[in-house]
């Protein structure tokens, strides 16, 4: 596999064996490499001259020495209801490696076939959803938002039955950790306090080493606060870029605060506060404007799972951190988007009024803030053109200009910084849809080009202007199936 500069470990196997079942991948037929993330491989400490070698691992026909695949056991709350039967139903943790910079990477093969936790599923992943996960992990990373990553994906000939017959695929997803809030729920509700404690210590040792030397009570308190705050900040970052996750169940919440498990996600095109991207979420539980609340509820589920090993009062205090962490990060994000460095009392109302206006006018969210980051260079027209009612735009621009009078930076300086907070390129549904269609016809070049653009979403990239275009009518209301 060419030159490797990583160390192999499999620390997950140190957990009690109720946390996993050893399962061999079920081979796919004739798996072919679809897309390989060479830059990420390099960060992880290896490089490859022959992508095809890795297709055998993606297709489940070969393992490297040291790989010991397991399906992880966890449970979780799905749409508010507790489900004790969850676990890796189609993914396997292969091993963990440690790169030259000391970073730990879990390798998880998603689409590897059935496991004891597959329930009614077939253990497979389809090409469409695998491409979407690949694209979005790399887009999120480009935006600077914590996320699991895509190392490589294969496609195969096996027919997969969903609403129609689709192509099989598999993704090697990597992350510092694949431990979810749901792992703690499993430990607390089925195993007992000792197991919760063991899991907590495992997570702290591997992922929060800065807390490892504190006395137990203090360490647990600091750790829980940190998890709550990371979750709050993550969701404030999602809100700022208009990302809707779609399935914020507690089994999809990463304990280290990564964006985790991409399904029917969407980035907002026209701003719509109540946008529901998951068409099976009829009640809108995970609508865009409910994500902050959903994140908090997930922290509450985690809190309940920690009750056997922590003082109730400590847990309550930890949970209280959520609101301040969310509000603080959200306001900071919005100030950056508006280019405001001086803190004014009226800033929060300006932000909220801006959201109401965008909601009412169905203004394209990404394009609006990017146009605002070029006001001085390109003038008012690009902003006004995004509005149905230009008078509304003019009034708002006047108010904004007045607010800018409190600022001390030059227009150029401010707009330069704003372009680093307001992406020009975002993974719009229609862009994903286009490259999926090409890939289904065997051409992965459009997907690779889109990834390159999304790696640098804040750069102008004039040669890639077309990727910043507003969605065509067909692309505005693509319904994303949850069956992936
Ligand atoms: P999700 O809503 O995608 O996060 O999945 C929830 C649960 O269903 C997890 O335990 C998954 O492993 C499992 N799952 C999803 N799709 C499949 C599938 N095709 N086959 C088996 N299990 C699946
Ligand atoms: Mg999941």
């Amino acid at each position: 596999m060419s030159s490797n500069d990583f160390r192999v470990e499999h620390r997950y196997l140190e957990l009690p064996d109720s946390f996993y079942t050893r399962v061999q991948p079920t081979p796919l037929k004739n798996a072919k490499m679809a897309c390989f993330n060479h830059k990420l491989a390099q960060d992880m400490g290896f490089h490859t001259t022959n992508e095809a070698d890795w297709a055998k691992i993606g297709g489940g026909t070969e393992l490297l020495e040291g790989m010991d695949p397991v399906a992880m056991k966890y449970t979780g709350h799905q749409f508010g209801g507790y489900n004790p039967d969850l676990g890796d139903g189609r993914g396997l943790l292969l091993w963990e490696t440690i790169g030259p910079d000391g970073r730990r990477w879990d390798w998880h093969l998603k689409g590897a076939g059935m496991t004891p936790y597959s329930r009614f599923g077939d253990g497979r992943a389809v090409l469409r959803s695998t491409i979407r996960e690949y694209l979005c992990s790399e887009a999120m990373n480009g935006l600077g938002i914590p996320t699991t990553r895509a190392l490589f994906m294969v496609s195969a000939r096996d027919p997969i039955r969903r609403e129609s017959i689709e192509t099989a695929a598999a993704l090697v997803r990597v992350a510092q950790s694949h431990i979810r809030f749901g792992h703690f729920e499993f430990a607390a509700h089925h195993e007992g306090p000792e197991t919760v404690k063991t899991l907590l210590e495992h997570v702290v040792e591997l992922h929060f080493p800065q807390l490892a030397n504190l006395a137990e009570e203090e360490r647990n308190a600091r750790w829980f606060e940190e998890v709550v705050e990371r979750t709050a900040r993550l969701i404030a970052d999602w809100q700022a870029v208009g990302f809707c996750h779609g399935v914020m169940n507690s089994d999809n919440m990463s304990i280290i605060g990564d964006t985790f498990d991409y399904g029917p996600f969407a980035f907002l095109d026209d701003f719509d506060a109540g946008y529901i991207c998951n068409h099976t979420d009829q009640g809108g539980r995970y609508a865009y404007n409910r994500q902050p609340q959903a994140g908090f509820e997930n922290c509450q589920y985690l809190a309940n799972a920690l009750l056997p090993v922590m003082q109730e009062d400590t847990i309550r205090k930890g949970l209280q951190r959520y609101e301040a962490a969310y509000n603080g990060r959200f306001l900071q994000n919005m100030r950056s988007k508006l280019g405001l460095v001086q803190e004014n009392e009226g800033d929060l109302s300006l932000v909220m009024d801006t959201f109401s206006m965008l909601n009412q006018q169905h203004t394209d969210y990404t394009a609006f803030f990017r146009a605002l980051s070029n006001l001085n260079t390109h003038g008012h027209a690009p902003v006004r053109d995004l509005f149905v009612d230009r008078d509304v735009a003019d009034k708002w621009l006047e108010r904004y200009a007045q607010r800018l009078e409190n600022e001390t930076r030059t227009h150029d300086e401010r707009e330069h910084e704003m372009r680093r907070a307001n992406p020009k390129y975002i993974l719009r549904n229609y862009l994903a849809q286009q490259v999926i269609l090409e890939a289904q016809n065997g051409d992965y070049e459009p997907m690779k080009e889109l990834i390159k653009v999304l790696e640098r979403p804040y750069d102008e990239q004039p040669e890639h202007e077309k990727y910043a275009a507003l969605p065509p009518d067909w692309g505005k209301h693509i319904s994303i199936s949850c069956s992936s």
Side-chain angles (χ1 to χ4, degrees):
M1 296 283 163
S2 305
S3 57
N4 290 348
D5 182 19
F6 58 64
R7 206 167 75 231
V8 173
E9 285 192 352
H10 210 330
R11 300 287 301 271
Y12 189 82
L13 302 184
E14 292 171 10
L15 289 171
D17 51 18
S18 54
F19 277 109
Y20 57 88
T21 304
R22 283 200 165 75
V23 181
Q24 293 300 302
T26 310
L28 286 167
K29 284 194 196 75
N30 203 5
K32 293 239 171 11
M33 183 56 65
C35 198
F36 190 99
N37 193 337
H38 289 278
K39 269 194 209 140
L40 175 58
Q42 198 172 14
D43 287 348
M44 292 171 65
F46 69 103
H47 107 128
T48 187
T49 42
N50 191 3
E51 292 182 355
D53 288 346
W54 293 93
K56 295 180 195 130
I57 290 162
T61 51
E62 203 175 293
L63 292 172
L64 296 180
E65 201 187 323
M67 284 181 174
D68 189 359
V70 299
M72 292 181 278
K73 174 62 193 169
Y74 50 84
T75 62
H77 280 80
Q78 299 181 303
F79 294 91
Y82 184 65
N83 187 340
D85 295 327
L86 299 174
D88 284 337
R90 55 170 163 175
L92 298 172
L93 182 65
L94 299 175
W95 64 2
E96 298 156 37
T97 60
I98 300 187
D101 58 1
R103 258 196 297 176
R104 168 179 305 276
W105 295 98
D106 278 4
W107 296 41
H108 192 262
L109 179 58
K110 185 168 177 179
M114 304 241 274
T115 79
Y117 319 117
S118 296
R119 296 176 296 149
F120 312 110
D122 57 4
R124 293 304 188 191
V126 299
L127 184 60
R128 160 179 60 80
S129 68
T130 305
I131 292 176
R132 281 171 50 84
E133 173 149 6
Y134 194 124
L135 290 171
C136 201
S137 347
E138 297 314 294
M140 276 291 182
N141 184 61
L143 289 165
I145 299 177
T147 176
T148 60
R149 303 290 304 278
L151 182 57
F152 65 85
M153 62 170 280
V154 298
S155 71
R157 298 245 299 279
D158 310 55
I160 304 295
R161 187 178 294 278
R162 293 292 181 265
E163 280 96 350
S164 59
I165 300 295
E166 300 198 38
T167 309
L171 170 73
V172 172
R173 170 171 79 187
V174 299
Q176 316 297 298
S177 174
H178 272 72
I179 295 180
R180 308 148 187 257
F181 285 16
H183 276 81
F184 283 86
E185 296 180 85
F186 164 65
H189 306 319
H190 306 271
E191 298 293 294
E194 274 312 305
T195 310
V196 179
K197 196 164 163 263
T198 306
L199 179 62
L200 194 161
E201 281 165 4
H202 173 88
V203 168
V204 169
E205 186 186 340
L206 265 57
H207 306 295
F208 300 81
Q210 69 282 12
L211 304 176
N213 292 326
L214 298 175
E216 184 176 343
E217 224 170 281
E218 176 72 4
R219 177 199 67 196
N220 292 356
R222 293 287 88 74
W223 171 74
F224 181 56
E225 281 171 16
E226 174 71 18
V227 174
V228 167
E229 288 186 353
R230 282 192 196 189
T231 306
R233 292 197 299 262
L234 176 70
I235 291 161
D237 288 356
W238 291 355
Q239 300 307 101
V241 296
F243 175 75
C244 308
H245 181 285
V247 203
M248 288 178 68
N249 294 333
S250 61
D251 55 303
N252 290 336
M253 298 300 289
S254 147
I255 201 71
I256 57 167
D258 275 346
T259 311
F260 197 22
D261 257 8
Y262 293 94
F265 69 83
F267 286 90
L268 296 176
D269 291 310
D270 290 354
F271 187 81
D272 174 1
Y275 188 67
I276 305 166
C277 64
N278 178 354
H279 78 169
T280 54
D281 179 13
Q282 276 155 6
R285 186 182 184 94
Y286 300 137
Y288 170 74
N289 58 2
R290 286 172 134 175
Q291 294 189 125
Q293 177 63 26
F296 179 69
E297 285 166 11
N298 283 324
C299 290
Q300 286 179 311
Y301 296 134
L302 177 63
N304 278 332
L306 295 170
L307 277 175
V309 300
M310 284 171 66
Q311 300 287 335
E312 206 177 319
D313 195 48
T314 313
I315 292 178
R316 193 173 309 114
K317 285 201 182 106
L319 273 178
Q320 279 167 1
R321 296 283 184 123
Y322 188 91
E323 195 175 346
Y326 177 81
N327 288 339
R329 179 69 155 238
F330 177 73
L331 190 57
Q332 179 194 334
N333 284 341
M334 295 316 296
R335 279 211 174 96
S336 306
K337 289 178 81 66
L338 289 165
L340 310 177
V341 173
Q342 307 301 317
E343 299 192 359
N344 271 24
E345 241 177 61
D347 287 348
L348 188 58
S349 1
L350 174 64
V351 168
M352 296 329 280
D353 292 346
T354 305
F355 276 110
S356 315
M357 172 186 72
L358 297 176
N359 195 50
Q360 229 171 37
Q361 295 283 310
H362 307 291
T363 312
D364 187 273
Y365 184 68
T366 303
F368 172 76
F369 280 102
R370 188 70 181 187
L372 216 56
S373 318
N374 285 304
L375 215 50
N376 196 42
T377 350
H378 299 158
H380 285 188
V383 177
R384 296 179 84 235
D385 290 349
L386 296 168
F387 283 74
V388 190
D389 184 344
R390 311 276 153 108
D391 287 344
V392 173
D394 288 337
K395 280 207 193 83
W396 186 89
L397 283 164
E398 217 168 281
R399 178 175 174 190
Y400 181 56
Q402 268 170 21
R403 172 61 185 84
L404 290 181
E405 284 170 16
N406 293 141
E407 293 292 313
T408 50
R409 291 183 298 184
T410 66
H411 290 312
D412 279 350
E413 267 178 288
R414 184 185 66 253
E415 293 191 350
H416 177 79
E417 286 306 309
M418 284 171 76
R419 287 191 293 272
R420 290 148 58 116
N422 294 313
K424 173 169 176 175
Y425 300 99
I426 201 90
L427 179 60
R428 297 177 184 274
N429 259 338
Y430 87 92
L431 293 172
Q433 198 56 29
Q434 281 173 337
V435 304
I436 287 168
L437 290 176
E438 303 279 4
Q440 284 168 338
N441 291 324
D443 185 3
Y444 287 89
E445 289 313 309
M447 171 181 173
K448 292 176 187 170
E449 181 167 286
L450 178 57
I451 292 167
K452 278 215 186 86
V453 175
L454 294 172
E455 276 169 0
R456 302 189 293 128
Y458 301 105
D459 292 356
E460 272 299 317
Q461 308 188 53
E463 71 282 18
H464 292 129
E465 202 70 37
K466 66 172 184 192
Y467 293 100
L470 299 185
D473 281 339
W474 68 263
K476 275 201 171 179
H477 302 287
I478 302 172
S479 172
I480 300 299
S481 158
C482 199
S483 66
S484 56

